[in-house]
Amino acid sequence: MVSAEVNDHQQLSERKRPDAFQLIAQLPKGSWHERSFAFWARRQLEPQSAQWWQPLSTMVVGAATTAMSVFLKLGFKKVVVEDLHKLTNIVEDPLRSQPVITITNHESTMDDPVMWGILPLRMRWQPKMVRWTLGAQELLYRNPASNAFFALGQTIPTVRGDGIYQLAVEIALRRLADNQWVHVFPEGRVNQGTKMLRFKWGVGRMVMESERVPIVIPMFIRGMREVLPLRQKVPLPRPSPFTSVFYMRVGDPIDFTSELREWKQKRAFMTTIEEKEALDEAVRIAIVDRMWNSLDDLKARSSESVIAAGLDP
């Protein structure tokens, strides 16, 4: 069954999907920073190929998530987490045969890593139990030291505006092929308004081209926009142990099995590239629309809890 899924995946991807190693080969390598970036990008494609990766990644991921746990405990008056088991039960399941994608609204540039301070201790020091995430390359990958830190911290460098066929999505698909957990902020940028932005299509491509149908889990967070408002003169988080509240709720998994099966069946009878591309785009839009609706519904169902925690909905 898995081999058939892989063959479908390869056939659906052969025209447009770029070769990840070719993308890395095309990266500039004039400066030490550029050579460092290319090195770590290649390592993220195949982290298991280097024996030193696992212990170093464990140190970075474990230390970062533990530090965020302390940050939540000391910096916030109240931390409210609902239905965390809907995430942990799936991620920790030793029999899980599907990768995991989590999606969340994006309130501040500190949402990740702060939100992962809620993970139980047993998960924090196991990189396979912690998310890979897409992070803005221009903000995070700025020098050789930060390149190493964020790469080992399982943060994939993403260039906003480079589209759904960029290197970041290729790395994410590799991690999904290894049955790992990838987290995405599908709005694509920080949004401190009351209505979510339209979701970007990259996460739709991840769902469609994953070798196995991923388990998609929506998560709603609140409280970070008060801690790190946009356009403040000094862009540093300012939590208060007397007033700050962090809220998170995990929703029910979204199953895209039927949509993907129908898409592949329709595509198999199409003969032109134009027909296939039109269908691909329509399905991609339908997938991200369903994600948006699921997360928006979770947000609405969380409003009473958010108010009870002391936050505006």
Side-chain angles (χ1 to χ4, degrees):
M1 182 65 178
V2 171
S3 61
E5 289 176 345
V6 172
N7 289 336
D8 285 343
H9 166 68
Q10 291 171 341
Q11 292 168 6
L12 293 169
S13 308
E14 60 185 3
R15 198 194 84 86
K16 271 197 167 184
R17 186 173 180 181
D19 179 79
F21 290 102
Q22 185 176 23
L23 291 175
I24 292 176
Q26 294 170 353
L27 292 172
K29 300 179 182 67
S31 67
W32 173 235
H33 165 59
E34 290 171 340
R35 291 193 295 273
S36 165
F37 178 82
F39 170 82
W40 289 109
R42 185 180 179 88
R43 289 275 65 83
Q44 286 194 325
L45 277 175
E46 297 180 315
Q48 68 281 0
S49 65
Q51 292 183 349
W52 49 264
W53 177 278
Q54 182 71 16
L56 292 180
S57 182
T58 298
M59 290 173 59
V60 173
V61 169
T65 52
T66 299
M68 292 304 100
S69 177
V70 173
F71 179 74
L72 285 171
K73 289 176 181 176
L74 299 183
F76 289 74
K77 176 184 177 182
K78 186 186 299 184
V79 175
V80 180
V81 181
E82 295 186 310
D83 297 331
L84 183 61
H85 67 279
K86 292 181 179 180
L87 172 68
T88 57
N89 287 354
I90 290 174
V91 172
E92 293 186 285
D93 183 359
L95 301 179
R96 175 169 57 85
S97 61
Q98 296 167 267
V100 175
I101 296 176
T102 48
I103 57 171
T104 312
N105 57 306
H106 203 1
E107 284 207 333
S108 80
T109 54
M110 285 286 291
D111 294 345
D112 188 310
V114 169
M115 62 189 294
W116 305 123
I118 56 87
L119 290 176
L121 179 61
R122 65 179 183 274
M123 296 179 67
R124 292 183 217 148
W125 294 87
Q126 299 186 68
K128 287 188 176 181
M129 299 292 178
V130 179
R131 94 294 174 263
W132 285 76
T133 191
L134 280 68
Q137 179 178 319
E138 75 277 10
L139 297 178
L140 305 179
Y141 285 75
R142 305 183 70 169
N143 55 62
S146 66
N147 293 349
F149 177 81
F150 286 108
L152 290 166
Q154 303 186 163
T155 301
I156 301 169
T158 309
V159 180
R160 288 179 283 195
D162 266 16
I164 67 173
Y165 295 100
Q166 63 172 290
L167 179 59
V169 180
E170 296 305 312
I171 295 174
L173 283 167
R174 291 289 185 108
R175 304 283 54 79
L176 293 171
D178 286 342
N179 249 28
Q180 297 199 28
W181 164 19
V182 173
H183 180 74
V184 181
F185 294 102
E187 291 176 284
R189 63 180 176 87
V190 173
N191 171 29
Q192 296 186 346
T194 57
K195 185 178 177 66
M196 287 191 301
L197 303 175
R198 179 184 64 85
F199 285 179
K200 303 298 184 183
W201 290 357
V203 69
R205 183 186 168 214
M206 291 179 206
V207 171
M208 293 170 71
E209 295 193 18
S210 176
E211 292 183 5
R212 289 169 293 278
V213 179
I215 303 168
V216 179
I217 306 174
M219 304 169 63
F220 175 68
I221 61 172
R222 248 319 261 118
M224 288 302 296
R225 67 178 182 232
E226 286 81 5
V227 171
L228 187 57
L230 289 173
R231 301 181 184 87
Q232 61 179 353
K233 291 183 179 180
V234 181
L236 294 174
R238 290 186 273 184
S240 167
F242 304 105
T243 59
S244 296
V245 177
F246 179 80
Y247 174 85
M248 174 190 287
R249 183 172 181 179
V250 181
D252 295 320
I254 310 170
D255 184 5
F256 286 102
T257 301
S258 60
E259 288 94 332
L260 295 179
R261 184 185 297 115
E262 183 180 354
W263 165 57
K264 291 176 182 180
Q265 289 172 346
K266 288 182 178 179
R267 208 175 193 277
F269 290 98
M270 293 181 172
T271 57
T272 68
I273 292 176
E274 291 74 18
E275 285 180 312
K276 293 179 179 180
E277 287 182 347
L279 176 64
D280 293 350
E281 182 173 316
V283 173
R284 197 179 299 125
I285 292 172
I287 286 173
V288 296
D289 282 352
R290 186 177 173 194
M291 289 184 185
W292 192 97
N293 289 332
S294 294
L295 188 50
D296 190 56
D297 179 64
L298 180 63
K299 175 184 176 182
R301 288 187 286 112
S302 303
S303 59
E304 289 187 7
S305 297
V306 169
I307 294 171
L311 291 162
D312 294 329

